Amino acid sequence: MERIAITRQIKIFDTTLRDGEQAPGCSMNTPEKLEVAKQLERLGVDIIEAGFPASSPGDLESVKNIAGIIQNSAVAGLCRSLEKDIDAGWQALSKAVSPRIHIFLATSPIHMQYKLKMTPEQVLEQAVSAVTYAKKYCSDVEFSAEDAFRSDPEFVCRVFAAVIAAGATTVNAPDTVGYAMPEEFGAFIRYLKEHTSGIEKAALSTHVHNDLGLSVASSLAAIAAGADQIECTINGIGERAGNASLEEIVMALRVRKDYWNADTRIDTTQIYPASRLVTQVTGVKVQPNKAIVGENAFAHEAGIHQHGVLANRETYEIMTPESIGLQKNQMVLGKHSGKHALEDRLKQLGITAAAHDIERIFTEFKLLADKKKTVHDRDIEALARGITVSVPETWTLIHWAIDSSSALGATGTIQLRYKDGSLYKDVALAAGPIDAVFTVIDKIIGKDIELESFEIGAITEGEDALGETSVKIKHGERIWHGHGISVDIVESAIKAYISAINAMEWDISYNPHRAEGALTEGAAPSEL
Ligand code: KIV
Ligand code: ZN
């Protein structure tokens, strides 16, 4: 009799909006997080970890907003093993279609002794009481043994057995510091699977950091050893060297389905739009040679490779660019195109926009089509993302002018409109044109701002390419990111600077006490 192998379904738990967002320079504001969450839902992730609700009122609010709109993925919120965290978590998650409370507590000797100042027995007791408390609110509770890989495996099994008995439906064994070799990590997961009593009642998960560049390999080794869920992020963003990259794990399973006999429910054609969106909202670019989503992942430079690919693309391509949603640049629309054509194109690019945003995108598109001969998908995408993820404008750019010369430096003039309608105009002198306009803007808004990073480039090739600028600004201890595009490269820089200022103004008014990275996994000992 022929045996039919049943494909195992691996759950994808995406933590771009929590572990990813915790990474320095990766913070996102609420509209950006909502946009990313919608894209993760389109991608088909099983669980979206939307944030850490107790970390700040702003985080609680954005988890709540995400929980309110997501229909087809579970929404999780991270909580320390504290009742006040679990209360905040439930406050944020209660309206979700499928809420999940995610609780963590460290189990390794080094974390227990130096960070928690607790004995193993106290940790065990606190883990059980946190899960028991969370179960009063929610049937879906995940427990993570932070730094599990550096813990005594027998102790992790005891903790897992106890939290499963208390009702945990998923138990997660992270390699929090990315220390394991993949084979070793596989053996560790197998040990947990074989020695945890009651494990058949819960899903076994992993969460691997990339400190030695092994997070994807270790996650795959965990799947081979029987893990049911993988925690990962888009573009691999996350604490320090990041987390395991979603796109690499998913494509490894999909491309080598013959080997794994395991798959996910991910719609891989949504991978590239997801990667672009996360790059755009965080301002953190992926390295060009990054697997799957890097600029060069499907580029063939050497003549011999080009020849091979032209004869048969499988000579050098093990997956198609289309399979991850990468379309060849197309000249899709021109200045005579109408709103319906634009709406259709936006849909194909995986961008959903409200009616009032479509109006704004269309107006900008017409302006662009007037200035630019060819309008590519990447131009439309950048234009639309700039509008759909923007925060309300505290300051709006009205006019700018620059007078620049080789010997005398530059004079910048800027006119801005404040949200109450009043107009402000000023002038400044500086060594260069960008410096001059940024100095005037600082004068007008009256805040002490430091420019942390500044990246300027073109979206597409050619003389009439759209200019794209990313900036990071610092005010006090906090950092905000801004993004600007324009056919004029200087204007793209001004727009990026103003969009960072608007993100700052909005965040400060919404979320005044949050310090950048204030509450991370290694929370203050007294709190735990
Ligand atoms: O790295 C880690 O251990 C974590 C846990 C909170 C899951 O992020
Ligand atoms: Zn982590």
Side-chain angles (χ1 to χ4, degrees):
M1 199 173 73
E2 195 193 341
R3 283 182 56 206
I4 301 169
I6 309 222
T7 306
R8 272 170 69 207
Q9 278 299 312
I10 306 298
K11 286 202 171 110
I12 294 295
F13 176 114
D14 178 279
T15 182
T16 306
L17 293 170
R18 199 277 299 168
D19 212 321
E21 208 254 352
Q22 250 168 241
C26 286
S27 58
M28 304 172 213
N29 58 42
T30 302
E32 291 170 340
K33 286 185 185 173
L34 277 168
E35 215 41 51
V36 172
K38 285 191 246 165
Q39 181 58 28
L40 292 173
E41 186 180 36
R42 278 194 285 273
L43 187 61
V45 309
D46 298 281
I47 304 107
I48 298 172
E49 184 161 56
F52 189 165
S55 68
S56 73
D59 226 46
L60 191 150
E61 215 38 50
S62 52
V63 175
K64 200 176 195 169
N65 285 327
I66 292 168
I69 58 157
I70 296 297
Q71 304 285 319
N72 300 317
S73 308
V75 180
L78 185 69
C79 308
R80 292 166 298 177
S81 293
L82 298 173
E83 292 191 357
K84 65 173 180 176
D85 272 36
I86 298 168
D87 291 338
W90 187 245
Q91 203 186 325
L93 292 167
S94 60
K95 297 281 180 306
V97 173
S98 312
R100 171 179 294 190
I101 294 182
H102 179 193
I103 296 166
F104 75 102
L105 192 57
T107 50
S108 64
I110 186 162
H111 278 237
M112 291 191 290
Q113 184 180 348
Y114 294 101
K115 190 184 80 176
L116 303 178
K117 301 194 185 347
M118 285 166 83
T119 64
E121 291 316 307
Q122 287 170 325
V123 164
L124 182 79
E125 199 182 307
Q126 184 154 348
V128 170
S129 76
V131 170
T132 310
Y133 188 74
K135 280 301 266 195
K136 284 199 257 182
Y137 288 130
C138 188
S139 60
D140 188 356
V141 174
E142 171 168 340
F143 176 80
S144 285
E146 192 190 7
D147 206 16
F149 181 72
R150 291 193 300 168
S151 309
D152 171 4
E154 204 223 324
F155 180 56
V156 179
C157 290
R158 271 181 69 210
V159 174
F160 279 1
V163 294
I164 292 169
T169 39
T170 301
V171 283
N172 181 34
D175 183 2
T176 301
V177 290
Y179 183 68
M181 292 298 115
E183 263 200 337
E184 225 184 348
F185 195 65
F188 172 64
I189 294 297
R190 189 164 295 113
Y191 179 90
L192 299 180
K193 189 114 192 157
E194 286 168 2
H195 294 88
T196 300
S197 77
I199 192 69
E200 66 290 346
K201 290 189 226 132
L204 179 57
S205 169
T206 67
H207 171 117
V208 185
H209 279 267
N210 203 31
D211 298 66
L212 291 171
L214 296 170
S215 57
V216 169
S218 288
S219 302
L220 291 170
I223 293 175
D228 309 290
Q229 170 181 290
I230 297 295
E231 302 196 356
C232 45
T233 60
I234 301 291
N235 297 341
I237 64 169
E239 288 273 4
R240 305 180 309 280
N243 287 67
S245 129
L246 178 148
E247 56 278 7
E248 293 179 25
I249 292 168
V250 166
M251 289 312 285
L253 293 179
R254 188 67 51 89
V255 171
R256 294 304 313 277
K257 213 166 154 183
D258 60 319
Y259 177 84
W260 288 105
N261 201 24
D263 204 355
T264 65
R265 70 174 189 106
I266 296 294
D267 173 358
T268 63
T269 63
Q270 292 297 330
I271 285 180
Y272 188 69
S275 166
R276 289 281 308 152
L277 175 61
V278 170
T279 298
Q280 211 159 17
V281 300
T282 58
V284 176
K285 294 214 161 72
V286 295
Q287 77 204 50
N289 60 327
K290 159 100 172 57
I292 320 293
V293 292
E295 194 74 23
N296 297 345
F298 293 93
H300 303 281
E301 193 65 32
I304 194 164
H305 286 209
Q306 288 174 350
H307 175 75
V309 170
L310 285 176
N312 180 343
R313 64 200 286 177
E314 284 178 27
T315 47
Y316 288 102
E317 274 183 12
I318 57 165
M319 62 199 135
T320 63
E322 292 80 11
S323 68
I324 63 145
L326 179 61
Q327 310 290 342
K328 290 249 170 329
N329 261 333
Q330 295 161 16
M331 194 190 88
V332 280
L333 300 172
K335 63 180 178 181
H336 301 297
S337 306
K339 207 178 337 167
H340 287 303
L342 177 71
E343 270 188 87
D344 270 0
R345 200 65 213 143
L346 289 172
K347 265 195 212 130
Q348 283 166 27
L349 291 170
I351 297 168
T352 43
H356 58 275
D357 281 342
I358 302 251
E359 283 305 326
R360 284 181 63 199
I361 298 169
F362 188 60
T363 312
E364 294 272 331
F365 162 73
K366 282 284 177 187
L367 291 173
L368 179 66
D370 262 348
K371 293 184 190 157
K372 224 176 160 277
K373 278 184 265 159
T374 53
V375 181
H376 299 279
D377 282 355
R378 289 283 287 268
D379 298 327
I380 294 175
E381 191 197 344
L383 198 86
R385 294 288 186 212
I387 287 170
T388 51
V389 298
S390 60
V391 294
E393 289 187 326
T394 303
W395 297 97
T396 307
L397 176 66
I398 304 297
H399 290 301
W400 63 274
I402 290 178
D403 190 7
S404 179
S405 72
S406 58
L408 301 171
T411 313
T413 310
I414 292 278
Q415 186 177 39
L416 300 181
R417 189 178 53 232
Y418 189 58
K419 59 183 175 190
D420 65 3
S422 27
L423 291 172
Y424 293 82
K425 191 166 136 189
D426 218 323
V427 186
L429 252 173
I434 302 287
D435 197 10
V437 280
F438 286 6
T439 309
V440 202
I441 295 171
D442 292 353
K443 265 170 86 179
I444 295 177
I445 69 160
K447 285 202 170 84
D448 188 16
I449 289 177
E450 266 174 64
L451 186 63
E452 275 279 304
S453 72
F454 177 79
E455 268 184 63
I456 199 157
I459 293 180
T460 46
E461 284 133 40
E463 279 169 17
D464 65 352
L466 265 189
E468 182 179 38
T469 305
S470 263
V471 300
K472 287 203 170 117
I473 60 166
K474 189 169 179 188
H475 176 60
E477 283 312 300
R478 294 164 67 180
I479 293 177
W480 291 271
H481 165 246
H483 181 252
I485 58 162
S486 169
V487 277
D488 186 306
I489 202 100
V490 175
E491 188 171 276
S492 78
I494 300 173
K495 284 184 167 175
Y497 198 63
I498 294 173
S499 92
I501 287 170
N502 284 334
M504 174 190 77
E505 300 275 18
W506 187 80
D507 196 14
I508 289 177
S509 61
Y510 203 81
N511 204 9
H513 305 300
R514 184 185 183 192
E516 178 87 1
L519 198 56
T520 63
E521 299 157 34
S526 58
E527 296 268 292
L528 283 151

